[in-house]
Amino acid sequence: MTDKGISGVRMTMKRLTNFAGVAAMTALAATPALAQEPITFDKGDIAWMSVSTILVLLMTLPGLALFYGGLVRSKNMLSVLTQVFSIVAIVAVIWIVYGYSLAFSDGGALNLYVGGLSKMFLAGMDLNTPAATFSNGVYIPEYLFVMFQMTFACITPALIVGAFAERVKFSALIVFVVLWVTLIYFPMAHMVWWWGGPDYFAAQATALAAATAAGDTAAAEAAQAALSANGLLFNWGALDFAGGTVVHINAGIAGLVGCLVIGKRVGYGKESMPPHSLVMTMIGGALLWVGWFGFNAGSNLEANAVSVLAMLNTFTATAGAAVAWLLAEWAMKGKPSLLGLVTGAVAGLVAVTPASGWGGPVGCMFLGIVAGVVCLIFCTTVKNAFGYDDSLDVFGVHCIAGIIGAIGTGILVNPGLGGAGIPDYISQPGSLIVADYVFGTAVWAQVKAVIFTLLFSGIGSFIIFKIVDIVIGLRPSVDTEREGLDLAEHGERAYTV
Amino acid sequence: MTDKGISGVRMTMKRLTNFAGVAAMTALAATPALAQEPITFDKGDIAWMSVSTILVLLMTLPGLALFYGGLVRSKNMLSVLTQVFSIVAIVAVIWIVYGYSLAFSDGGALNLYVGGLSKMFLAGMDLNTPAATFSNGVYIPEYLFVMFQMTFACITPALIVGAFAERVKFSALIVFVVLWVTLIYFPMAHMVWWWGGPDYFAAQATALAAATAAGDTAAAEAAQAALSANGLLFNWGALDFAGGTVVHINAGIAGLVGCLVIGKRVGYGKESMPPHSLVMTMIGGALLWVGWFGFNAGSNLEANAVSVLAMLNTFTATAGAAVAWLLAEWAMKGKPSLLGLVTGAVAGLVAVTPASGWGGPVGCMFLGIVAGVVCLIFCTTVKNAFGYDDSLDVFGVHCIAGIIGAIGTGILVNPGLGGAGIPDYISQPGSLIVADYVFGTAVWAQVKAVIFTLLFSGIGSFIIFKIVDIVIGLRPSVDTEREGLDLAEHGERAYTV
Amino acid sequence: MTDKGISGVRMTMKRLTNFAGVAAMTALAATPALAQEPITFDKGDIAWMSVSTILVLLMTLPGLALFYGGLVRSKNMLSVLTQVFSIVAIVAVIWIVYGYSLAFSDGGALNLYVGGLSKMFLAGMDLNTPAATFSNGVYIPEYLFVMFQMTFACITPALIVGAFAERVKFSALIVFVVLWVTLIYFPMAHMVWWWGGPDYFAAQATALAAATAAGDTAAAEAAQAALSANGLLFNWGALDFAGGTVVHINAGIAGLVGCLVIGKRVGYGKESMPPHSLVMTMIGGALLWVGWFGFNAGSNLEANAVSVLAMLNTFTATAGAAVAWLLAEWAMKGKPSLLGLVTGAVAGLVAVTPASGWGGPVGCMFLGIVAGVVCLIFCTTVKNAFGYDDSLDVFGVHCIAGIIGAIGTGILVNPGLGGAGIPDYISQPGSLIVADYVFGTAVWAQVKAVIFTLLFSGIGSFIIFKIVDIVIGLRPSVDTEREGLDLAEHGERAYTV
Amino acid sequence: MKLIIAVIKPFKLEEVREALTTIGVQGLMVSEVKGYGRQSGHTEIYRGAEYVVNFVPKIKLELVVPDAMVDKVVEALASTAKTGKIGDGKVFVLNVEQALRVRTGETGDDAL
Amino acid sequence: MKLIIAVIKPFKLEEVREALTTIGVQGLMVSEVKGYGRQSGHTEIYRGAEYVVNFVPKIKLELVVPDAMVDKVVEALASTAKTGKIGDGKVFVLNVEQALRVRTGETGDDAL
Amino acid sequence: MKLIIAVIKPFKLEEVREALTTIGVQGLMVSEVKGYGRQSGHTEIYRGAEYVVNFVPKIKLELVVPDAMVDKVVEALASTAKTGKIGDGKVFVLNVEQALRVRTGETGDDAL
Ligand SMILES: Nc1ncnc2c1ncn2[C@@H]1O[C@H](COP(=O)(O)OP(=O)(O)O)[C@@H](O)[C@H]1O
Ligand SMILES: Nc1ncnc2c1ncn2[C@@H]1O[C@H](COP(=O)(O)OP(=O)(O)O)[C@@H](O)[C@H]1O
Ligand SMILES: Nc1ncnc2c1ncn2[C@@H]1O[C@H](COP(=O)(O)OP(=O)(O)O)[C@@H](O)[C@H]1O
């Protein structure tokens, strides 16, 4: 059977540091406890996680596609839609072939960094294979976990394309995406989300205690090893409920790198390039909001009060951020804009992603407000100051709000601020208790995760972009860019009225 | 812990009138029964209510925004979208700060009319706080109830803007909305939906019986008081399953008042003002239909056969109304129109809202047919006769269909017509039985509720509009109106093809 | 109480052939076993099936409407939207009046072919009436089954209109649809999906065994009769999890017949008729994908590992088909198109429909790939070769992919290929076991079902089209067609920018 | 015959059309144009990007009339299109050498 | 050189363009216009509101040709644009004083 | 006064407008047209259907200027609209007999 989970460490970091770096080849192999007891799935969990999966697809198609598409000039509308839609389809296929395995299987010697190939083509799974959640004794079908996670793998690379929209060759982009998910995304997912699950932890903790009592050092070491056979960032104790680092910071920095490597659009700064349809952008933004509930609340992997809290937080943070951007822009630029309102909402959604299951509704509302204002300043003042052409503000919204959210999570998790507190699955094996909150440790773990992601994804993406640029060439000809990618690359026109 | 519920009275009205007006400060304070037994939530209920919440957001964004937006001229498209989107965000923030508390907490001396401030910032709630449903012993997390009700608070003021679309100042509208939800919506919600919940009623009814038996008049009075510590219209015995009065009649009359106070659009009657995109209106209408299932069936607060019935009724009434409008218009105007078809569907959705959990599928289908035809006549003949400029027929559709539905509910609830019957939580404490149906009483309670809502909301809204008009000014300049609100107020253009 | 189910035979075909043709009037009347035990519904099942129902509506409105609408010229946009929207509303009304009864009630002497009228206006149903699923002892409210199946009845005729879009009289179309669902769809649904349900089968199988043992031939024959009191194709042992034959092949062939009877569009081949908005088509296609999960996974009638598998298969097949079409078109025509990508996705969705609950995720991915390539060739080379004007490729996508899927199901169900295997409810009454897979029998049953559907629907539709053409006239005047159906037939314009 | 080209404010179209019809104009062509002139445009802001739009939406009328009618038409245009505010527009008159009605083949004034 | 302005029914565009190409026309400009004339418009109804639309969608062609070609072009237009039904459109001819091809700087007939 | 009609490549509009403003042009009309000429169009494919589109999107400028300014304007157009690639467009000059500013009633050069 397989155990795995989503979201940052759920044990006290203190404990883990003891084990850091210990390899654990065999750890996941033997899990007798679970092998015996027959596992049943709750129909409510299946219903909820099925819906969550559907919602994440909805936020990508048509959600993200329209949010981005509406912001480009009509001559490039279809290129954006085609990019997003084809990325979803292609990554889904890759996910079944080897992606899931690289992200969510034991990686052997490389386990800290990436999974193995044992689950290629979903090998060894059937209707009854369970996947662990975050509650002791609660499981969902692994097929469901595979599918839910698949939607995350599909949307992340799609987020990147906004940074260099209107000026990338389709063929080059597809090659880039295939390389990027393989070399950047799957490892990131493994490093942040791969762990043994609550029951597995309980079993090992019990074994550890017994061994220590019996003075059996060998057994004790084995148990310790098993307890740290998780992804690298997971072991660092980074909290990421729904993918702030893996999805948003990761895609955001890759986007920035991409737009710098590819360069500005022809005529950028000289010709005017207004969004061709803010209506489409609004529809997309609204669907992002709607679908994001599946993204965040679904990341709880079961339907209970925690998924409800994650949903409520997603709601309050988004509302707060939208209002904040609207008012701040009104004050700064003199007019409240729809685009600002919608962008603010997205910034709030991004910021609350890592915090959704950890913070309280009011804390997350403030997190959203901060994200709204900071991202506004970033997408206007800062961006113009640096003068890079991040067409759709992938960096300014996803990366910046992602960082705000990641670090904010370290603060808002504090029960003193209405947070859920840092979980401890080990002190009392079999039950989940809350460990003491230590500001410094909590925030530092978040900062480390952010820095790691920026470096790993930033550098990795740069190398991949360069290789693709050399081999295929990332950029179409100037004439192609002027004519528009729709006709030149896809032989279609978005609107024929 | 907190007890509260949604939708009209679920006890025989006969019983309640005895208690009318009795204050009940302490009633909700002590609920020992529940304090002891540990409350668990059903995962199926959590899944369903989470989905319902998401659906109501979907019907507002992008649903309602597009339904309205498609009907205005393109130069005002963004203004409508911005209004709806920002109302959702702003009201959501207010809801967390004090809105929920004003609607769903004990109001002390004012309890018949409005709640108190004890739950500002969701004070005192955590993951385990339960909220009562309509079944004895069934609870959902209060966080979930907060969120579900939040979406109702968000969409109601958004419905109003259609009445004076294309001619209102954004700043003035926002101020109006803040005042309106505070002074009209939250009290209305409290008056119709605030009650003690089934178990609380059972406990008090038992106490009452015991006290009476023991001849302890003090205790008896206390119990009686507790039983009537509900909202005013709730005590009247008005039936409103999902918000016919609170949402639709309330918003509909406010819209009419607004369009009268603000006046007609420049050029109304002279220049032609066709909808700029019936495609958007169709998308919006379809999403309203889709999302409305969450609105109506979700109002059951749990996933059971009643939520299924509410959904089926929502389906049949909508289909009936759409067909009715289509055919009636075809007969009257010579052509079957898409706008008529979609508007008919919305009229059916509105009409079935209060009836959804009370009527039978066939009865609701006929309710829809009636609503379709009557609203058609209203939006064409009647409106033109009076000559007011209710731009998007908020009154003609929401208020009129709301009234038809509210009164129809009093009829269709009759078990003789396949209705669910009027519930009685008291005669047999702990179990829900059906009281005898008395046509006169049932319908009169509905009529009273309708009249009250029309007066309360109509007069209240008028005052608020006037104040805002004097202080800020509701209407932009004629030139602004000619140029279009998008450029003038938001500095954006909807389409740049 | 009522028992019925969805999707092809779930017993070994071997067994059934013994009983073929035996009438069974009384069989469904007496079901003592179930009458006694009180039936409860699982809230997770209710939540999931409610969501599935909503999703199927979403895939029709606005999904299918936009997918089709975007492909026509703007002057005909509203006509398509009106056709799809009104078909949904009208068929929903018919469904309640007599449609459900014709599809899902005992048809007496005609039971092999069509149901009876005993359930007109949902006669005899209430909140507690159960409907069987495919698991022994698992039931959902019949109201829920009525509603879920209603959405299937609504979308199927709507699929047809794409074949002769831009050139059909609205009045004629509506009459056609009413006749078509009555004479073609309801009988087809009955023939494929009407059966006794698992518990009913168990009861009869037990009775049969007992009777045989006791040598009571009369009782034995009665039991045998009861076991074969199912729809014709069900008894043939055709597997159709979610409607490949009933919905897609059925609509696809009807569409082809329709476009041949009506003839080509004025100017077809001479004037250029590009899609007026591929953006709308993309939105529609994405919503089809999203909603199809309800269509396929919902067809499992409960939330369990099988519904999860159906969902995963729906995902992998769609992704596979989209990628396949994209790459094949890129290779064949030199450019990867958005329309190809989206059409490929739809082809995959159609192909996996009958297989979704039977195949494995990898098998279905390949099924999708095959469907993507074959349909591409069909919509381009083959169609142009024959030169018929199937405006929106209803035949090329729905019928062809439907056939590929139907036959593919017979292959992929093989446990050897990771399939679920052919179920046997009878050998071990009360529990579901897998019968041995025999390639020839399995595939032949599918082929028979396909051929039957092509003939039954093809010939039947032809007759109906001809009658409507003679009585009303299917086609508008050339001038009307030139002006566009929107203005001429509906008095509206889709866009006024 | 003369070709009269007029640029007017969009919301004036109906009024102008009626005025022309009443004085006997039998046909014309209307097109939407972007006008540049003394009337200033507006500014649009999308996140960071500010765009100054110098063009104002206008309606262009083109009609060919017999020489005899020119003055009447110009007057009608001048009076009905006028709001007195900047941006009211212009009227230009050009000479037309031939005219033909496709349907009938009529030429000259008869074609109008 | 002459400027030939033609108004035709939209669905005739391709046919007309081909006809002109075959007789040697090397270039032209096409724009969508709303036409007002004898051909009556239509009525639109949106809920309560009824709008009479007097304009009919038309295509306007503008092409400058050497004097020598004018008659051929007008004939070609007259014959191909014709359906015989009301609303077929018009052809107008105006004099052009100068022409210039931007790319090469050629002027006069060479610019066409 | 002369009417100058220019067809240019869309992305040149802003540049051209500025050039004209600097040499004193006070107003003009811009419209989007589909151009047919030597510059070849493109092909669109939708599933089975292939459409050859012969038209290229162009911008048409119309401005009336005093006779004195004509040459300057034509030169400005010729130089700024030029890319040297096929499809740069044309400039035509026609005579204008009258001009009127609706707002003020000014006529002739004053109206421009
Ligand atoms: N010289 C010109 N040639 C062609 N059109 C012009 C000219 N000057 C102005 N126009 C058109 O007339 C419109 C109104 O002119 P403008 O200078 O803005 O106001 P006014 O006509 O009141 O002086 C402009 O938007 C433009 O379309
Ligand atoms: N005097 C005119 N000046 C300019 N355009 C005209 C004139 N008269 C008609 N047109 C154009 O020609 C089109 C066809 O004219 P109409 O009178 O409707 O039919 P017909 O050309 O058959 O008489 C009109 O829609 C209008 O665009
Ligand atoms: N004879 C003409 N009359 C009117 N417009 C023309 C004529 N010839 C060309 N044009 C316009 O000029 C544009 C450019 O012409 P084209 O022949 O393509 O390139 P070039 O101007 O470089 O020779 C065409 O798209 C068309 O709009």
Side-chain angles (χ1 to χ4, degrees), chain B residues 42 44-45 47-48 51 55 74 138 274-280 282-283 285-287 289-290 293 302-309 311-312 315-316 319-320 322-323 326 330 335-342 345 361-362 365-366 495, chain C residues 41 43-44 46-47 50-51 53-54 57-58 61-62 65-66 77-78 81-82 85-86 88-90 92-93 96-97 121-122 127-128 141 143-144 146-147 150-151 154 170-171 174 280 283 487-497:
Chain B
D42 184 280
D45 288 337
W48 172 242
V51 169
L55 286 171
S74 52
V138 178
H276 89 282
S277 173
L278 286 184
V279 176
M280 291 300 158
M282 190 287 290
I283 298 176
L287 292 179
W289 190 350
V290 166
F293 289 121
E302 63 177 309
N304 62 12
V306 177
S307 66
V308 169
L309 175 66
M311 223 180 116
L312 180 56
F315 217 129
T316 59
V323 175
L326 184 82
W330 203 343
K335 280 178 179 164
S337 75
L338 174 65
L339 180 56
L341 189 64
V342 176
V362 177
M365 189 165 86
F366 284 106
Y495 310 95
Chain C
F41 306 124
K43 288 178 163 219
I46 288 180
S50 299
V51 169
T53 303
I54 294 168
L57 178 63
L58 178 73
L61 296 176
L66 293 177
M77 176 61 164
L78 296 185
L81 302 184
T82 311
F85 203 115
S86 55
V88 170
I90 290 167
V93 170
I96 299 298
V97 177
F121 289 101
L122 310 188
L127 287 174
N128 306 315
Y143 274 153
L144 186 46
V146 167
M147 193 160 44
M150 176 161 68
T151 59
C154 291
F170 184 69
S171 54
I174 295 306
M280 290 301 158
I283 298 176
L487 285 173
E489 294 236 306
H490 305 289
E492 301 172 301
R493 177 187 301 282
Y495 310 95
T496 308
V497 181

Side-chain angles (χ1 to χ4, degrees), chain A residues 53-420:
Chain A
T53 304
I54 294 167
L55 286 170
V56 184
L57 178 63
L58 178 73
M59 78 187 263
T60 318
L61 297 176
L64 180 66
L66 293 176
F67 178 67
Y68 276 177
L71 292 172
V72 300
R73 288 163 291 177
S74 53
K75 65 182 180 181
N76 296 315
M77 176 60 164
L78 296 185
S79 72
V80 172
L81 302 184
T82 311
Q83 289 164 16
V84 173
F85 203 114
S86 55
I87 286 171
V88 170
I90 290 166
V91 174
V93 171
I94 295 175
W95 185 252
I96 299 298
V97 178
Y98 65 82
Y100 177 72
S101 191
L102 284 185
F104 293 103
S105 75
D106 179 64
L110 295 172
N111 193 42
L112 278 174
Y113 312 101
V114 66
L117 296 176
S118 58
K119 289 185 181 170
M120 279 181 65
F121 289 101
L122 310 188
M125 274 176 233
D126 65 20
L127 287 174
N128 306 314
T129 318
T133 65
F134 302 118
S135 304
N136 294 87
V138 178
Y139 293 83
I140 58 172
E142 184 166 12
Y143 273 153
L144 187 45
F145 182 75
V146 168
M147 194 160 44
F148 181 67
Q149 278 296 321
M150 176 160 69
T151 58
F152 280 57
C154 290
I155 193 173
T156 307
L159 289 169
I160 301 174
V161 304
F164 40 78
E166 306 198 283
R167 60 187 189 281
V168 69
K169 221 186 282 174
F170 184 69
S171 55
L173 178 69
I174 295 307
V175 174
F176 167 79
V177 167
V178 172
L179 293 172
W180 191 84
V181 291
T182 308
L183 302 172
I184 307 291
Y185 183 80
F186 301 149
M188 272 302 302
H190 185 85
M191 286 188 272
V192 174
W193 288 330
W194 172 257
W195 72 309
D199 295 334
Y200 178 75
F201 267 45
Q204 297 305 327
T206 319
L208 178 59
T212 323
D216 176 340
T217 46
E221 284 204 343
Q224 286 191 332
L227 281 170
S228 56
N230 315 300
L232 181 67
L233 278 69
F234 186 98
N235 281 346
W236 286 357
L239 297 169
D240 185 356
F241 195 78
T245 47
V246 181
V247 175
H248 298 287
I249 300 179
N250 192 1
I253 187 68
L256 178 65
V257 169
C259 84
L260 292 173
V261 171
I262 295 180
K264 301 176 182 177
R265 284 167 287 183
V266 169
Y268 180 71
K270 288 188 295 302
E271 300 164 27
S272 71
M273 306 174 168
H276 89 282
S277 172
L278 286 184
V279 176
M280 290 300 159
T281 297
M282 191 287 288
I283 298 176
L287 292 179
L288 280 170
W289 191 350
V290 167
W292 219 293
F293 290 121
F295 195 92
N296 286 356
S299 290
N300 186 54
L301 298 182
E302 63 176 311
N304 61 12
V306 177
S307 66
V308 169
L309 175 66
M311 221 181 118
L312 180 56
N313 289 339
T314 304
F315 218 130
T316 59
T318 309
V323 175
W325 188 306
L326 184 83
L327 298 179
E329 187 181 33
W330 202 343
M332 288 165 53
K333 309 260 169 191
K335 280 178 180 162
S337 74
L338 174 64
L339 180 55
L341 189 64
V342 175
T343 311
V346 175
L349 287 162
V350 172
V352 79
T353 296
S356 49
W358 304 114
V362 177
C364 288
M365 190 165 86
F366 284 106
L367 179 67
I369 292 171
V370 172
V373 175
V374 175
C375 289
L376 163 62
I377 293 167
F378 222 92
C379 294
T380 54
T381 330
V382 179
K383 180 182 166 190
N384 290 343
F386 284 99
Y388 58 89
D389 179 15
D390 176 0
S391 324
L392 314 184
D393 295 306
V394 175
F395 180 73
V397 173
H398 291 272
C399 199
I400 297 304
I403 292 171
I404 293 169
I407 293 167
T409 301
I411 300 164
L412 295 172
V413 68
N414 181 354
L417 301 174

Side-chain angles (χ1 to χ4, degrees), chain F residues 19 41 43 53 58 88 104:
Chain F
T43 303
V53 178
K58 297 282 170 187
D88 276 350
T104 57

